[in-house]
Amino acid sequence: MATVILNMILIIVLRICDVSLATTRTILLTKGKSNIAALIGFFEVIVYMKVLGDVVSQLDKWWYLLAYATGFSLGNLIGAKLEHRLAFGDAQMRLIMREEYRYIVDELREKGFGVTVFKGEGREGERLMVLITLKRKRVKEVYDYLKEKDINVFVSVNDITSYSGGVMHPRAVNPNNRV
């Protein structure tokens, strides 16, 4: 019985590793980092084949299939959390705000963010739309800044895969992602 439980734990752990590696590899591919993705893919396949072989060779033991499926599900969750923490690539934040908050534009620029401002009109009058191009790892920094200053703005964030031109602070630029 102890051997069965240890085998199930091993299957779950290996499957978590395999799926987490697959998630990370896929994201790296979408960010244009194919060399790192290829290296990760090498180890991913080794782990995958090991665990798949263990399970397929014992299909009569349904509990191993359960462990395999559990590892897959947990691997997706952990892989997504890992990717969120690693935050590969670049993003663009959009802030929609009232004119009274215009001072944050200069403060964000002082923090090294590329900031562009547009005038627009919302339901309740004139608004500013602020575009910030930044590393995904720095998105939380902007959210924390807005919270600390108690600034009530609409915020949306999107990943960007490439950009060219413009003025960016050196800390905010990744030359490998430019077009």
Side-chain angles (χ1 to χ4, degrees), residues 23-37 83-84 86-92 134-137 139 157-163 174-178:
T23 301
T24 304
R25 178 185 50 80
T26 302
I27 290 161
L28 285 169
L29 283 171
T30 65
K31 303 293 183 190
K33 300 184 182 308
S34 56
N35 291 338
I36 298 170
E83 191 284 326
H84 182 72
L86 294 174
F88 296 116
D90 303 299
Q92 186 171 75
L134 67 165
K135 305 302 293 171
R136 280 189 58 222
K137 289 181 182 197
V139 168
V157 180
N158 287 89
D159 287 349
I160 55 175
T161 55
S162 65
Y163 52 87
N174 178 354
N176 296 325
N177 280 355
R178 295 194 146 221

PDB file of all heavy atoms in Angstrom, residues 23-37 83-84 86-92 134-137 139 157-163 174-178:
ATOM      1  N   THR A  23       3.306  24.976 -19.744  1.00  0.00           N
ATOM      2  CA  THR A  23       2.694  26.308 -19.661  1.00  0.00           C
ATOM      3  C   THR A  23       3.752  27.383 -19.871  1.00  0.00           C
ATOM      4  O   THR A  23       3.572  28.307 -20.668  1.00  0.00           O
ATOM      5  CB  THR A  23       2.011  26.496 -18.292  1.00  0.00           C
ATOM      6  OG1 THR A  23       1.025  25.479 -18.133  1.00  0.00           O
ATOM      7  CG2 THR A  23       1.362  27.860 -18.177  1.00  0.00           C
ATOM      8  N   THR A  24       4.864  27.247 -19.167  1.00  0.00           N
ATOM      9  CA  THR A  24       5.939  28.229 -19.281  1.00  0.00           C
ATOM     10  C   THR A  24       6.513  28.252 -20.695  1.00  0.00           C
ATOM     11  O   THR A  24       6.737  29.314 -21.277  1.00  0.00           O
ATOM     12  CB  THR A  24       7.056  27.905 -18.262  1.00  0.00           C
ATOM     13  OG1 THR A  24       6.489  27.858 -16.957  1.00  0.00           O
ATOM     14  CG2 THR A  24       8.159  28.939 -18.305  1.00  0.00           C
ATOM     15  N   ARG A  25       6.713  27.069 -21.282  1.00  0.00           N
ATOM     16  CA  ARG A  25       7.239  26.978 -22.647  1.00  0.00           C
ATOM     17  C   ARG A  25       6.321  27.664 -23.645  1.00  0.00           C
ATOM     18  O   ARG A  25       6.760  28.428 -24.505  1.00  0.00           O
ATOM     19  CB  ARG A  25       7.431  25.507 -23.041  1.00  0.00           C
ATOM     20  CG  ARG A  25       7.935  25.313 -24.469  1.00  0.00           C
ATOM     21  CD  ARG A  25       8.003  23.843 -24.849  1.00  0.00           C
ATOM     22  NE  ARG A  25       6.790  23.098 -24.562  1.00  0.00           N
ATOM     23  CZ  ARG A  25       5.700  23.107 -25.327  1.00  0.00           C
ATOM     24  NH1 ARG A  25       5.664  23.832 -26.429  1.00  0.00           N
ATOM     25  NH2 ARG A  25       4.645  22.396 -25.004  1.00  0.00           N
ATOM     26  N   THR A  26       5.028  27.412 -23.525  1.00  0.00           N
ATOM     27  CA  THR A  26       4.060  28.008 -24.444  1.00  0.00           C
ATOM     28  C   THR A  26       4.084  29.533 -24.348  1.00  0.00           C
ATOM     29  O   THR A  26       4.071  30.228 -25.366  1.00  0.00           O
ATOM     30  CB  THR A  26       2.645  27.479 -24.148  1.00  0.00           C
ATOM     31  OG1 THR A  26       2.663  26.056 -24.279  1.00  0.00           O
ATOM     32  CG2 THR A  26       1.621  28.076 -25.086  1.00  0.00           C
ATOM     33  N   ILE A  27       4.141  30.037 -23.150  1.00  0.00           N
ATOM     34  CA  ILE A  27       4.160  31.492 -22.966  1.00  0.00           C
ATOM     35  C   ILE A  27       5.452  32.084 -23.525  1.00  0.00           C
ATOM     36  O   ILE A  27       5.437  33.130 -24.172  1.00  0.00           O
ATOM     37  CB  ILE A  27       3.945  31.845 -21.487  1.00  0.00           C
ATOM     38  CG1 ILE A  27       2.495  31.522 -21.127  1.00  0.00           C
ATOM     39  CG2 ILE A  27       4.268  33.299 -21.197  1.00  0.00           C
ATOM     40  CD1 ILE A  27       2.213  31.388 -19.675  1.00  0.00           C
ATOM     41  N   LEU A  28       6.563  31.406 -23.291  1.00  0.00           N
ATOM     42  CA  LEU A  28       7.829  31.887 -23.842  1.00  0.00           C
ATOM     43  C   LEU A  28       7.790  31.931 -25.364  1.00  0.00           C
ATOM     44  O   LEU A  28       8.314  32.866 -25.977  1.00  0.00           O
ATOM     45  CB  LEU A  28       8.978  31.007 -23.364  1.00  0.00           C
ATOM     46  CG  LEU A  28       9.410  31.206 -21.916  1.00  0.00           C
ATOM     47  CD1 LEU A  28      10.356  30.097 -21.475  1.00  0.00           C
ATOM     48  CD2 LEU A  28      10.056  32.562 -21.718  1.00  0.00           C
ATOM     49  N   LEU A  29       7.155  30.937 -25.974  1.00  0.00           N
ATOM     50  CA  LEU A  29       7.026  30.938 -27.439  1.00  0.00           C
ATOM     51  C   LEU A  29       6.220  32.141 -27.914  1.00  0.00           C
ATOM     52  O   LEU A  29       6.579  32.782 -28.905  1.00  0.00           O
ATOM     53  CB  LEU A  29       6.379  29.637 -27.926  1.00  0.00           C
ATOM     54  CG  LEU A  29       7.284  28.413 -27.952  1.00  0.00           C
ATOM     55  CD1 LEU A  29       6.480  27.152 -28.233  1.00  0.00           C
ATOM     56  CD2 LEU A  29       8.398  28.585 -28.982  1.00  0.00           C
ATOM     57  N   THR A  30       5.140  32.461 -27.214  1.00  0.00           N
ATOM     58  CA  THR A  30       4.325  33.614 -27.619  1.00  0.00           C
ATOM     59  C   THR A  30       5.048  34.933 -27.397  1.00  0.00           C
ATOM     60  O   THR A  30       4.708  35.930 -28.017  1.00  0.00           O
ATOM     61  CB  THR A  30       2.965  33.656 -26.885  1.00  0.00           C
ATOM     62  OG1 THR A  30       3.188  33.869 -25.490  1.00  0.00           O
ATOM     63  CG2 THR A  30       2.171  32.389 -27.112  1.00  0.00           C
ATOM     64  N   LYS A  31       6.063  34.933 -26.531  1.00  0.00           N
ATOM     65  CA  LYS A  31       6.849  36.146 -26.260  1.00  0.00           C
ATOM     66  C   LYS A  31       8.102  36.211 -27.137  1.00  0.00           C
ATOM     67  O   LYS A  31       8.942  37.082 -26.967  1.00  0.00           O
ATOM     68  CB  LYS A  31       7.270  36.205 -24.784  1.00  0.00           C
ATOM     69  CG  LYS A  31       6.138  36.145 -23.808  1.00  0.00           C
ATOM     70  CD  LYS A  31       5.278  37.372 -23.877  1.00  0.00           C
ATOM     71  CE  LYS A  31       4.185  37.305 -22.826  1.00  0.00           C
ATOM     72  NZ  LYS A  31       3.203  38.317 -22.986  1.00  0.00           N
ATOM     73  N   GLY A  32       8.249  35.240 -28.067  1.00  0.00           N
ATOM     74  CA  GLY A  32       9.378  35.257 -28.986  1.00  0.00           C
ATOM     75  C   GLY A  32      10.676  34.724 -28.409  1.00  0.00           C
ATOM     76  O   GLY A  32      11.742  34.945 -28.961  1.00  0.00           O
ATOM     77  N   LYS A  33      10.612  34.006 -27.314  1.00  0.00           N
ATOM     78  CA  LYS A  33      11.817  33.466 -26.673  1.00  0.00           C
ATOM     79  C   LYS A  33      11.944  31.972 -26.988  1.00  0.00           C
ATOM     80  O   LYS A  33      11.865  31.126 -26.103  1.00  0.00           O
ATOM     81  CB  LYS A  33      11.759  33.728 -25.174  1.00  0.00           C
ATOM     82  CG  LYS A  33      11.685  35.211 -24.832  1.00  0.00           C
ATOM     83  CD  LYS A  33      11.737  35.444 -23.355  1.00  0.00           C
ATOM     84  CE  LYS A  33      11.616  36.891 -22.972  1.00  0.00           C
ATOM     85  NZ  LYS A  33      12.517  37.795 -23.614  1.00  0.00           N
ATOM     86  N   SER A  34      12.156  31.675 -28.265  1.00  0.00           N
ATOM     87  CA  SER A  34      12.124  30.283 -28.724  1.00  0.00           C
ATOM     88  C   SER A  34      13.308  29.452 -28.235  1.00  0.00           C
ATOM     89  O   SER A  34      13.166  28.243 -28.050  1.00  0.00           O
ATOM     90  CB  SER A  34      12.013  30.222 -30.244  1.00  0.00           C
ATOM     91  OG  SER A  34      13.072  30.949 -30.829  1.00  0.00           O
ATOM     92  N   ASN A  35      14.479  30.038 -28.032  1.00  0.00           N
ATOM     93  CA  ASN A  35      15.632  29.257 -27.565  1.00  0.00           C
ATOM     94  C   ASN A  35      15.394  28.706 -26.162  1.00  0.00           C
ATOM     95  O   ASN A  35      15.649  27.528 -25.897  1.00  0.00           O
ATOM     96  CB  ASN A  35      16.908  30.094 -27.593  1.00  0.00           C
ATOM     97  CG  ASN A  35      17.362  30.406 -29.002  1.00  0.00           C
ATOM     98  OD1 ASN A  35      17.009  29.710 -29.946  1.00  0.00           O
ATOM     99  ND2 ASN A  35      18.139  31.462 -29.152  1.00  0.00           N
ATOM    100  N   ILE A  36      14.918  29.544 -25.272  1.00  0.00           N
ATOM    101  CA  ILE A  36      14.632  29.096 -23.903  1.00  0.00           C
ATOM    102  C   ILE A  36      13.481  28.084 -23.937  1.00  0.00           C
ATOM    103  O   ILE A  36      13.508  27.080 -23.230  1.00  0.00           O
ATOM    104  CB  ILE A  36      14.290  30.288 -22.987  1.00  0.00           C
ATOM    105  CG1 ILE A  36      15.481  31.246 -22.894  1.00  0.00           C
ATOM    106  CG2 ILE A  36      13.903  29.820 -21.593  1.00  0.00           C
ATOM    107  CD1 ILE A  36      15.173  32.560 -22.218  1.00  0.00           C
ATOM    108  N   ALA A  37      12.473  28.365 -24.772  1.00  0.00           N
ATOM    109  CA  ALA A  37      11.326  27.456 -24.886  1.00  0.00           C
ATOM    110  C   ALA A  37      11.769  26.073 -25.361  1.00  0.00           C
ATOM    111  O   ALA A  37      11.266  25.055 -24.866  1.00  0.00           O
ATOM    112  CB  ALA A  37      10.284  28.043 -25.836  1.00  0.00           C
ATOM    113  N   GLU A  83       3.688  31.492 -14.131  1.00  0.00           N
ATOM    114  CA  GLU A  83       3.782  32.462 -15.227  1.00  0.00           C
ATOM    115  C   GLU A  83       3.427  33.859 -14.741  1.00  0.00           C
ATOM    116  O   GLU A  83       4.081  34.837 -15.097  1.00  0.00           O
ATOM    117  CB  GLU A  83       2.869  32.057 -16.382  1.00  0.00           C
ATOM    118  CG  GLU A  83       3.094  32.851 -17.650  1.00  0.00           C
ATOM    119  CD  GLU A  83       2.521  34.252 -17.633  1.00  0.00           C
ATOM    120  OE1 GLU A  83       1.462  34.466 -17.018  1.00  0.00           O
ATOM    121  OE2 GLU A  83       3.129  35.155 -18.239  1.00  0.00           O
ATOM    122  N   HIS A  84       2.406  33.968 -13.921  1.00  0.00           N
ATOM    123  CA  HIS A  84       2.008  35.270 -13.393  1.00  0.00           C
ATOM    124  C   HIS A  84       3.144  35.875 -12.572  1.00  0.00           C
ATOM    125  O   HIS A  84       3.415  37.070 -12.636  1.00  0.00           O
ATOM    126  CB  HIS A  84       0.734  35.136 -12.545  1.00  0.00           C
ATOM    127  CG  HIS A  84       0.238  36.431 -12.014  1.00  0.00           C
ATOM    128  ND1 HIS A  84      -0.357  37.379 -12.821  1.00  0.00           N
ATOM    129  CD2 HIS A  84       0.262  36.944 -10.766  1.00  0.00           C
ATOM    130  CE1 HIS A  84      -0.675  38.424 -12.076  1.00  0.00           C
ATOM    131  NE2 HIS A  84      -0.306  38.185 -10.836  1.00  0.00           N
ATOM    132  N   LEU A  86       6.438  35.095 -12.842  1.00  0.00           N
ATOM    133  CA  LEU A  86       7.581  35.396 -13.704  1.00  0.00           C
ATOM    134  C   LEU A  86       7.306  36.612 -14.588  1.00  0.00           C
ATOM    135  O   LEU A  86       8.214  37.367 -14.902  1.00  0.00           O
ATOM    136  CB  LEU A  86       7.926  34.185 -14.576  1.00  0.00           C
ATOM    137  CG  LEU A  86       8.434  32.956 -13.827  1.00  0.00           C
ATOM    138  CD1 LEU A  86       8.596  31.778 -14.783  1.00  0.00           C
ATOM    139  CD2 LEU A  86       9.745  33.245 -13.115  1.00  0.00           C
ATOM    140  N   ALA A  87       6.057  36.781 -15.005  1.00  0.00           N
ATOM    141  CA  ALA A  87       5.600  37.949 -15.772  1.00  0.00           C
ATOM    142  C   ALA A  87       6.524  38.278 -16.949  1.00  0.00           C
ATOM    143  O   ALA A  87       7.070  39.371 -17.042  1.00  0.00           O
ATOM    144  CB  ALA A  87       5.425  39.157 -14.852  1.00  0.00           C
ATOM    145  N   PHE A  88       6.682  37.324 -17.854  1.00  0.00           N
ATOM    146  CA  PHE A  88       7.497  37.555 -19.038  1.00  0.00           C
ATOM    147  C   PHE A  88       6.879  38.629 -19.910  1.00  0.00           C
ATOM    148  O   PHE A  88       5.665  38.738 -20.019  1.00  0.00           O
ATOM    149  CB  PHE A  88       7.596  36.283 -19.889  1.00  0.00           C
ATOM    150  CG  PHE A  88       8.284  35.142 -19.211  1.00  0.00           C
ATOM    151  CD1 PHE A  88       7.593  33.978 -18.939  1.00  0.00           C
ATOM    152  CD2 PHE A  88       9.617  35.220 -18.855  1.00  0.00           C
ATOM    153  CE1 PHE A  88       8.222  32.909 -18.332  1.00  0.00           C
ATOM    154  CE2 PHE A  88      10.252  34.164 -18.250  1.00  0.00           C
ATOM    155  CZ  PHE A  88       9.551  33.001 -17.984  1.00  0.00           C
ATOM    156  N   GLY A  89       7.697  39.403 -20.581  1.00  0.00           N
ATOM    157  CA  GLY A  89       7.229  40.291 -21.632  1.00  0.00           C
ATOM    158  C   GLY A  89       6.826  41.679 -21.185  1.00  0.00           C
ATOM    159  O   GLY A  89       7.151  42.137 -20.097  1.00  0.00           O
ATOM    160  N   ASP A  90       6.113  42.330 -22.101  1.00  0.00           N
ATOM    161  CA  ASP A  90       5.729  43.729 -21.942  1.00  0.00           C
ATOM    162  C   ASP A  90       4.217  43.864 -21.904  1.00  0.00           C
ATOM    163  O   ASP A  90       3.493  42.982 -22.346  1.00  0.00           O
ATOM    164  CB  ASP A  90       6.287  44.542 -23.115  1.00  0.00           C
ATOM    165  CG  ASP A  90       7.801  44.403 -23.224  1.00  0.00           C
ATOM    166  OD1 ASP A  90       8.483  44.780 -22.259  1.00  0.00           O
ATOM    167  OD2 ASP A  90       8.284  43.914 -24.258  1.00  0.00           O
ATOM    168  N   ALA A  91       3.780  44.988 -21.364  1.00  0.00           N
ATOM    169  CA  ALA A  91       2.346  45.247 -21.255  1.00  0.00           C
ATOM    170  C   ALA A  91       2.068  46.709 -21.555  1.00  0.00           C
ATOM    171  O   ALA A  91       2.975  47.549 -21.588  1.00  0.00           O
ATOM    172  CB  ALA A  91       1.846  44.905 -19.848  1.00  0.00           C
ATOM    173  N   GLN A  92       0.801  46.991 -21.771  1.00  0.00           N
ATOM    174  CA  GLN A  92       0.359  48.374 -21.896  1.00  0.00           C
ATOM    175  C   GLN A  92      -0.813  48.566 -20.955  1.00  0.00           C
ATOM    176  O   GLN A  92      -1.775  47.801 -20.977  1.00  0.00           O
ATOM    177  CB  GLN A  92      -0.056  48.707 -23.318  1.00  0.00           C
ATOM    178  CG  GLN A  92      -0.388  50.186 -23.480  1.00  0.00           C
ATOM    179  CD  GLN A  92      -0.595  50.553 -24.912  1.00  0.00           C
ATOM    180  OE1 GLN A  92      -1.623  50.228 -25.478  1.00  0.00           O
ATOM    181  NE2 GLN A  92       0.374  51.226 -25.500  1.00  0.00           N
ATOM    182  N   LEU A 134       5.209  49.176 -20.425  1.00  0.00           N
ATOM    183  CA  LEU A 134       6.067  48.763 -19.330  1.00  0.00           C
ATOM    184  C   LEU A 134       6.306  47.259 -19.359  1.00  0.00           C
ATOM    185  O   LEU A 134       5.632  46.534 -20.075  1.00  0.00           O
ATOM    186  CB  LEU A 134       5.464  49.174 -17.991  1.00  0.00           C
ATOM    187  CG  LEU A 134       4.157  48.497 -17.557  1.00  0.00           C
ATOM    188  CD1 LEU A 134       3.922  48.758 -16.081  1.00  0.00           C
ATOM    189  CD2 LEU A 134       2.960  48.970 -18.329  1.00  0.00           C
ATOM    190  N   LYS A 135       7.269  46.821 -18.559  1.00  0.00           N
ATOM    191  CA  LYS A 135       7.492  45.396 -18.364  1.00  0.00           C
ATOM    192  C   LYS A 135       6.316  44.857 -17.548  1.00  0.00           C
ATOM    193  O   LYS A 135       5.824  45.539 -16.640  1.00  0.00           O
ATOM    194  CB  LYS A 135       8.796  45.139 -17.603  1.00  0.00           C
ATOM    195  CG  LYS A 135      10.050  45.743 -18.206  1.00  0.00           C
ATOM    196  CD  LYS A 135      10.344  45.311 -19.610  1.00  0.00           C
ATOM    197  CE  LYS A 135      10.692  43.864 -19.712  1.00  0.00           C
ATOM    198  NZ  LYS A 135      10.773  43.400 -21.106  1.00  0.00           N
ATOM    199  N   ARG A 136       5.878  43.646 -17.859  1.00  0.00           N
ATOM    200  CA  ARG A 136       4.768  43.067 -17.091  1.00  0.00           C
ATOM    201  C   ARG A 136       5.085  42.984 -15.606  1.00  0.00           C
ATOM    202  O   ARG A 136       4.199  43.108 -14.767  1.00  0.00           O
ATOM    203  CB  ARG A 136       4.417  41.671 -17.626  1.00  0.00           C
ATOM    204  CG  ARG A 136       3.552  41.742 -18.864  1.00  0.00           C
ATOM    205  CD  ARG A 136       3.020  40.387 -19.282  1.00  0.00           C
ATOM    206  NE  ARG A 136       2.256  39.761 -18.234  1.00  0.00           N
ATOM    207  CZ  ARG A 136       2.349  38.465 -17.922  1.00  0.00           C
ATOM    208  NH1 ARG A 136       3.169  37.677 -18.568  1.00  0.00           N
ATOM    209  NH2 ARG A 136       1.619  37.959 -16.956  1.00  0.00           N
ATOM    210  N   LYS A 137       6.359  42.803 -15.279  1.00  0.00           N
ATOM    211  CA  LYS A 137       6.762  42.712 -13.879  1.00  0.00           C
ATOM    212  C   LYS A 137       6.497  44.014 -13.122  1.00  0.00           C
ATOM    213  O   LYS A 137       6.448  44.006 -11.902  1.00  0.00           O
ATOM    214  CB  LYS A 137       8.248  42.364 -13.771  1.00  0.00           C
ATOM    215  CG  LYS A 137       8.565  40.969 -14.174  1.00  0.00           C
ATOM    216  CD  LYS A 137      10.037  40.649 -14.033  1.00  0.00           C
ATOM    217  CE  LYS A 137      10.257  39.229 -14.509  1.00  0.00           C
ATOM    218  NZ  LYS A 137      11.480  38.648 -14.116  1.00  0.00           N
ATOM    219  N   VAL A 139       3.751  46.037 -13.643  1.00  0.00           N
ATOM    220  CA  VAL A 139       2.331  46.398 -13.609  1.00  0.00           C
ATOM    221  C   VAL A 139       1.859  46.595 -12.166  1.00  0.00           C
ATOM    222  O   VAL A 139       1.183  47.574 -11.851  1.00  0.00           O
ATOM    223  CB  VAL A 139       1.474  45.345 -14.343  1.00  0.00           C
ATOM    224  CG1 VAL A 139      -0.006  45.545 -14.071  1.00  0.00           C
ATOM    225  CG2 VAL A 139       1.748  45.401 -15.845  1.00  0.00           C
ATOM    226  N   VAL A 157      -5.289  46.492 -18.659  1.00  0.00           N
ATOM    227  CA  VAL A 157      -3.933  46.059 -18.992  1.00  0.00           C
ATOM    228  C   VAL A 157      -4.004  45.004 -20.089  1.00  0.00           C
ATOM    229  O   VAL A 157      -4.843  44.105 -20.035  1.00  0.00           O
ATOM    230  CB  VAL A 157      -3.221  45.447 -17.757  1.00  0.00           C
ATOM    231  CG1 VAL A 157      -1.807  45.000 -18.110  1.00  0.00           C
ATOM    232  CG2 VAL A 157      -3.212  46.415 -16.591  1.00  0.00           C
ATOM    233  N   ASN A 158      -3.121  45.129 -21.070  1.00  0.00           N
ATOM    234  CA  ASN A 158      -2.993  44.134 -22.136  1.00  0.00           C
ATOM    235  C   ASN A 158      -1.521  43.816 -22.347  1.00  0.00           C
ATOM    236  O   ASN A 158      -0.672  44.698 -22.219  1.00  0.00           O
ATOM    237  CB  ASN A 158      -3.547  44.659 -23.463  1.00  0.00           C
ATOM    238  CG  ASN A 158      -5.037  44.716 -23.474  1.00  0.00           C
ATOM    239  OD1 ASN A 158      -5.615  45.720 -23.087  1.00  0.00           O
ATOM    240  ND2 ASN A 158      -5.658  43.644 -23.911  1.00  0.00           N
ATOM    241  N   ASP A 159      -1.242  42.556 -22.703  1.00  0.00           N
ATOM    242  CA  ASP A 159       0.107  42.194 -23.108  1.00  0.00           C
ATOM    243  C   ASP A 159       0.361  42.784 -24.484  1.00  0.00           C
ATOM    244  O   ASP A 159      -0.553  42.881 -25.303  1.00  0.00           O
ATOM    245  CB  ASP A 159       0.252  40.675 -23.220  1.00  0.00           C
ATOM    246  CG  ASP A 159       0.296  39.988 -21.867  1.00  0.00           C
ATOM    247  OD1 ASP A 159       0.427  40.688 -20.839  1.00  0.00           O
ATOM    248  OD2 ASP A 159       0.208  38.757 -21.830  1.00  0.00           O
ATOM    249  N   ILE A 160       1.613  43.151 -24.730  1.00  0.00           N
ATOM    250  CA  ILE A 160       2.007  43.563 -26.074  1.00  0.00           C
ATOM    251  C   ILE A 160       3.172  42.679 -26.502  1.00  0.00           C
ATOM    252  O   ILE A 160       4.002  42.287 -25.681  1.00  0.00           O
ATOM    253  CB  ILE A 160       2.362  45.066 -26.171  1.00  0.00           C
ATOM    254  CG1 ILE A 160       3.444  45.457 -25.169  1.00  0.00           C
ATOM    255  CG2 ILE A 160       1.142  45.917 -25.971  1.00  0.00           C
ATOM    256  CD1 ILE A 160       3.908  46.894 -25.310  1.00  0.00           C
ATOM    257  N   THR A 161       3.204  42.336 -27.781  1.00  0.00           N
ATOM    258  CA  THR A 161       4.248  41.435 -28.255  1.00  0.00           C
ATOM    259  C   THR A 161       5.396  42.172 -28.910  1.00  0.00           C
ATOM    260  O   THR A 161       6.500  41.653 -28.972  1.00  0.00           O
ATOM    261  CB  THR A 161       3.677  40.406 -29.246  1.00  0.00           C
ATOM    262  OG1 THR A 161       3.022  41.106 -30.304  1.00  0.00           O
ATOM    263  CG2 THR A 161       2.685  39.485 -28.556  1.00  0.00           C
ATOM    264  N   SER A 162       5.158  43.370 -29.431  1.00  0.00           N
ATOM    265  CA  SER A 162       6.248  44.133 -30.035  1.00  0.00           C
ATOM    266  C   SER A 162       5.879  45.601 -30.067  1.00  0.00           C
ATOM    267  O   SER A 162       4.705  45.970 -29.955  1.00  0.00           O
ATOM    268  CB  SER A 162       6.548  43.629 -31.450  1.00  0.00           C
ATOM    269  OG  SER A 162       5.435  43.877 -32.289  1.00  0.00           O
ATOM    270  N   TYR A 163       6.895  46.426 -30.220  1.00  0.00           N
ATOM    271  CA  TYR A 163       6.703  47.857 -30.360  1.00  0.00           C
ATOM    272  C   TYR A 163       7.957  48.426 -30.995  1.00  0.00           C
ATOM    273  O   TYR A 163       9.005  47.793 -31.006  1.00  0.00           O
ATOM    274  CB  TYR A 163       6.402  48.537 -29.018  1.00  0.00           C
ATOM    275  CG  TYR A 163       7.402  48.212 -27.927  1.00  0.00           C
ATOM    276  CD1 TYR A 163       8.561  48.955 -27.781  1.00  0.00           C
ATOM    277  CD2 TYR A 163       7.180  47.158 -27.056  1.00  0.00           C
ATOM    278  CE1 TYR A 163       9.479  48.652 -26.797  1.00  0.00           C
ATOM    279  CE2 TYR A 163       8.098  46.847 -26.072  1.00  0.00           C
ATOM    280  CZ  TYR A 163       9.246  47.604 -25.944  1.00  0.00           C
ATOM    281  OH  TYR A 163      10.155  47.292 -24.965  1.00  0.00           O
ATOM    282  N   ASN A 174      13.156  46.310 -23.330  1.00  0.00           N
ATOM    283  CA  ASN A 174      13.803  45.032 -23.608  1.00  0.00           C
ATOM    284  C   ASN A 174      14.126  45.043 -25.090  1.00  0.00           C
ATOM    285  O   ASN A 174      13.236  44.888 -25.923  1.00  0.00           O
ATOM    286  CB  ASN A 174      12.868  43.863 -23.278  1.00  0.00           C
ATOM    287  CG  ASN A 174      13.499  42.523 -23.598  1.00  0.00           C
ATOM    288  OD1 ASN A 174      14.577  42.457 -24.162  1.00  0.00           O
ATOM    289  ND2 ASN A 174      12.811  41.470 -23.238  1.00  0.00           N
ATOM    290  N   PRO A 175      15.392  45.252 -25.483  1.00  0.00           N
ATOM    291  CA  PRO A 175      15.722  45.389 -26.906  1.00  0.00           C
ATOM    292  C   PRO A 175      15.384  44.160 -27.732  1.00  0.00           C
ATOM    293  O   PRO A 175      15.204  44.265 -28.931  1.00  0.00           O
ATOM    294  CB  PRO A 175      17.238  45.631 -26.884  1.00  0.00           C
ATOM    295  CG  PRO A 175      17.715  45.184 -25.558  1.00  0.00           C
ATOM    296  CD  PRO A 175      16.539  45.307 -24.616  1.00  0.00           C
ATOM    297  N   ASN A 176      15.226  43.007 -27.125  1.00  0.00           N
ATOM    298  CA  ASN A 176      14.894  41.790 -27.872  1.00  0.00           C
ATOM    299  C   ASN A 176      13.433  41.766 -28.321  1.00  0.00           C
ATOM    300  O   ASN A 176      13.057  40.944 -29.134  1.00  0.00           O
ATOM    301  CB  ASN A 176      15.182  40.544 -27.024  1.00  0.00           C
ATOM    302  CG  ASN A 176      16.660  40.436 -26.721  1.00  0.00           C
ATOM    303  OD1 ASN A 176      17.492  40.784 -27.536  1.00  0.00           O
ATOM    304  ND2 ASN A 176      16.982  39.970 -25.537  1.00  0.00           N
ATOM    305  N   ASN A 177      12.584  42.618 -27.766  1.00  0.00           N
ATOM    306  CA  ASN A 177      11.166  42.616 -28.128  1.00  0.00           C
ATOM    307  C   ASN A 177      10.802  43.724 -29.095  1.00  0.00           C
ATOM    308  O   ASN A 177       9.646  43.942 -29.364  1.00  0.00           O
ATOM    309  CB  ASN A 177      10.296  42.748 -26.874  1.00  0.00           C
ATOM    310  CG  ASN A 177      10.157  41.432 -26.162  1.00  0.00           C
ATOM    311  OD1 ASN A 177      10.614  40.398 -26.628  1.00  0.00           O
ATOM    312  ND2 ASN A 177       9.529  41.455 -25.004  1.00  0.00           N
ATOM    313  N   ARG A 178      11.760  44.451 -29.589  1.00  0.00           N
ATOM    314  CA  ARG A 178      11.463  45.531 -30.525  1.00  0.00           C
ATOM    315  C   ARG A 178      11.291  44.988 -31.934  1.00  0.00           C
ATOM    316  O   ARG A 178      11.916  44.006 -32.309  1.00  0.00           O
ATOM    317  CB  ARG A 178      12.567  46.564 -30.495  1.00  0.00           C
ATOM    318  CG  ARG A 178      12.603  47.227 -29.124  1.00  0.00           C
ATOM    319  CD  ARG A 178      13.422  48.447 -29.143  1.00  0.00           C
ATOM    320  NE  ARG A 178      12.765  49.328 -28.198  1.00  0.00           N
ATOM    321  CZ  ARG A 178      12.600  50.592 -28.380  1.00  0.00           C
ATOM    322  NH1 ARG A 178      13.029  51.160 -29.471  1.00  0.00           N
ATOM    323  NH2 ARG A 178      12.005  51.335 -27.501  1.00  0.00           N
TER     324      ARG A 178
END
